[in-house]
Amino acid sequence: MFLFFVISGQAFTQSSAMKYQHFPPPAHLQEYIHAIWTLELPADSQSSCSLRTFAEGMPGLIFQQVDNGSLYQNDQPLHDLFLYGPATTHARLHATGDLHITGIFLRPNALKTVFGLNAGLLADTCMDASELAVREHHSLPEQLVNCRSSTDRIGLLASWIKVQADKNHERRDNMIQYAVSAIAGSKGNVALKGLQIELQLSERTFERKFKEYIGISPKLFSRICRFQSSLQQLRANDFSKLSDIAFDHEYADQSHFIRTFKEFAGFSPLQYQQQPGGLIENLSTLLK
């Protein structure tokens, strides 16, 4: 049984035939969408395609054309159209066939505010999103298959998200949104106790509401934000030595930083820098 799928932060061993693009969200959906991306993978490049995922605090929506290929995790194919929750660890996936993927990085609270789902039930896993469309007598999956271009598919998915968001607008929680912004803005180093007091919530209520809207605890979300920020600094080569990154992100020391990086990425910072092939930018980082 697969656990989760997140496109962010992954290293691709890729051929020149692979085509990856990303796009900003429509202005009227920036509250719910962080970024949109597409990936085209011709069948003759499947033998060289390897995808590694990192811990990420964002959910997302994926549509894949599966007539000629599919994405797999733990040797099981992923759904044609699926929603995934926040990932708390790393994983590896592989692709087969002539594959076309359209994905949307959602904002951290979008599973609840857009789709009315308890995000805690989707942490490190995913669900068949076509089930939501079918229940509403919506022909979204069929329309996506019949789209003539990636632009058409993006437009169709964006329209569906807008309809869902309008329907579930009352589920928005401004306090949780404020907490998410404070944690992300501090690169995961805000004092959670102080934030809880500022919001006038008990510790138990704060954690329960955060898990319901974001999918994981405030502490784990903070740790992942700090990891993602350190990853961004590492990728930008904005340091002289690893201890600089550890210091900038308030890790106890360099060893603490390396242990955390291994926990969330699956390898050390040095191994990350030595990855072969092209490196897809981590578009979904909360700290951009």
Side-chain angles (χ1 to χ4, degrees):
M1 179 178 180
F2 64 86
L3 296 176
F4 65 91
F5 175 74
V6 184
I7 198 77
S8 61
Q10 62 203 22
F12 285 82
T13 304
Q14 60 180 330
S15 72
S16 59
M18 178 182 288
K19 184 179 180 181
Y20 176 85
Q21 294 180 291
H22 68 272
F23 313 89
H28 66 289
L29 290 177
Q30 289 182 356
E31 180 181 357
Y32 309 111
I33 297 176
H34 181 78
I36 301 170
W37 58 272
T38 61
L39 176 65
E40 296 181 12
L41 181 65
D44 59 4
S45 67
Q46 68 181 29
S47 61
S48 63
C49 179
S50 176
L51 300 86
R52 176 185 287 272
T53 66
F54 293 173
E56 176 56 80
M58 279 189 176
L61 176 67
I62 302 289
F63 172 72
Q64 57 168 328
Q65 297 278 122
V66 296
D67 290 343
N68 301 311
S70 185
L71 284 171
Y72 289 80
Q73 183 168 343
N74 297 340
D75 297 322
Q76 293 195 25
L78 299 172
H79 299 292
D80 296 12
L81 178 66
F82 63 93
L83 283 163
Y84 61 81
T88 65
T89 187
H90 55 88
R92 187 179 292 276
L93 301 97
H94 70 276
T96 63
D98 188 1
L99 193 63
H100 298 268
I101 306 173
T102 304
I104 296 179
F105 293 131
L106 297 168
R107 298 292 181 182
N109 63 356
L111 290 178
K112 183 69 174 180
T113 58
V114 175
F115 299 99
L117 300 171
N118 184 334
L121 300 179
L122 282 177
D124 287 333
T125 191
C126 66
M127 66 171 288
D128 186 352
S130 62
E131 294 179 358
L132 295 176
V134 168
R135 285 203 300 266
E136 299 165 354
H137 306 289
H138 199 289
S139 59
L140 178 64
E142 181 180 350
Q143 291 180 50
L144 288 168
V145 169
N146 293 328
C147 282
R148 294 181 177 273
S149 68
S150 295
T151 300
D152 290 343
R153 281 189 289 273
I154 289 171
L156 192 57
L157 287 170
S159 296
W160 186 56
I161 288 173
K162 179 64 166 62
V163 170
Q164 297 301 307
D166 289 344
K167 184 174 64 176
N168 292 299
H169 183 71
E170 294 181 0
R171 291 191 171 94
R172 177 173 176 171
D173 190 301
N174 291 330
M175 288 190 293
I176 296 302
Q177 181 56 45
Y178 177 83
V180 167
S181 297
I183 293 170
S186 70
K187 301 179 181 180
N189 287 309
V190 69
L192 294 178
K193 184 64 176 179
L195 187 57
Q196 169 207 319
I197 293 173
E198 181 181 356
L199 294 174
Q200 299 183 10
L201 295 173
S202 68
E203 181 177 359
R204 182 176 180 179
T205 299
F206 181 40
E207 181 141 340
R208 177 183 57 78
K209 288 173 70 70
F210 203 93
K211 285 185 176 179
E212 181 181 357
Y213 277 80
I214 310 304
I216 54 181
S217 71
K219 182 177 180 180
L220 181 53
F221 184 75
S222 296
R223 293 184 65 227
I224 292 175
C225 283
R226 181 160 60 162
F227 158 71
Q228 287 286 342
S229 179
S230 69
L231 174 64
Q232 194 173 25
Q233 184 176 355
L234 181 68
R235 186 173 54 247
N237 201 30
D238 184 21
F239 63 98
S240 297
K241 50 188 182 299
L242 287 181
S243 59
D244 294 340
I245 300 179
F247 177 80
D248 290 345
H249 292 85
E250 300 185 26
Y251 286 103
D253 50 36
Q254 181 174 314
S255 295
H256 182 206
F257 164 57
I258 293 174
R259 287 197 305 272
T260 301
F261 197 95
K262 286 182 177 179
E263 175 188 353
F264 290 138
F267 42 50
S268 71
L270 178 59
Q271 289 171 318
Y272 172 83
Q273 291 179 298
Q274 295 173 339
Q275 287 297 299
L279 200 63
I280 298 300
E281 290 295 323
N282 181 5
L283 300 174
S284 59
T285 175
L286 302 175
L287 304 171
K288 281 190 173 182

